Amino acid sequence: MLPWFWLSFSPFPSNEPDAPDTVRIAATKAYFTQQGFSIVHESPLQLGAASGFALDLQRDGGKIRLWTRIAYVAGKVYRVVISSAGSHHDDPIITRCLESFRIEKAGG
C-alpha cells in the first residue's frame, strides 16, 4: 500500500480554547497509543512562522507507520498526517511532504 497523505485544519474544541499546547500534545499522543500505536519519535519543531510538534508512530511491529506534524495557531489546529503500510516507509515523497508543511503566518 502506497503512502496516504492527509492535510487538515479545524478550530480548537469549544471546551478547551485556552488549553496549553502541552495538554493538546499529550491528548494527541494518548489518542494514538489507545489506537495501538507506539511512539517512535517525538519532538518540537518550527513549522515556518509557527511552533509545532512532530510525532512519528508505528503499529503491528512496524508494519504500519504514521507521521504527523501539528501546529496550534490562532485558535486552530493545523495538521498533516501520512501513513504507510508495507514496504513504502522510506519513500522520499514522505519526507518531502513533511518538510513542506509550513505555516506562513502565525497571527490571527
Side-chain angles (χ1 to χ4, degrees), residues 17-89:
D18 298 323
D21 289 356
T22 54
V23 170
R24 292 186 175 107
I25 291 165
T28 300
K29 292 181 348 185
Y31 170 79
F32 283 116
T33 56
Q34 290 169 0
Q35 301 301 314
F37 285 92
S38 59
I39 297 170
V40 175
H41 176 77
E42 61 180 287
S43 65
L45 73 155
Q46 195 65 30
L47 295 168
S51 296
F53 191 76
L55 191 58
D56 302 347
L57 306 126
Q58 69 178 10
R59 194 169 94 181
D60 299 338
K63 292 179 184 173
I64 298 173
R65 294 287 308 266
L66 188 133
W67 300 264
T68 185
R69 303 299 183 259
I70 302 168
Y72 304 104
V73 179
K76 294 183 180 78
V77 181
Y78 294 86
R79 62 186 85 71
V80 63
V81 179
I82 301 172
S83 67
S84 172
S87 62
H88 298 283
H89 302 331

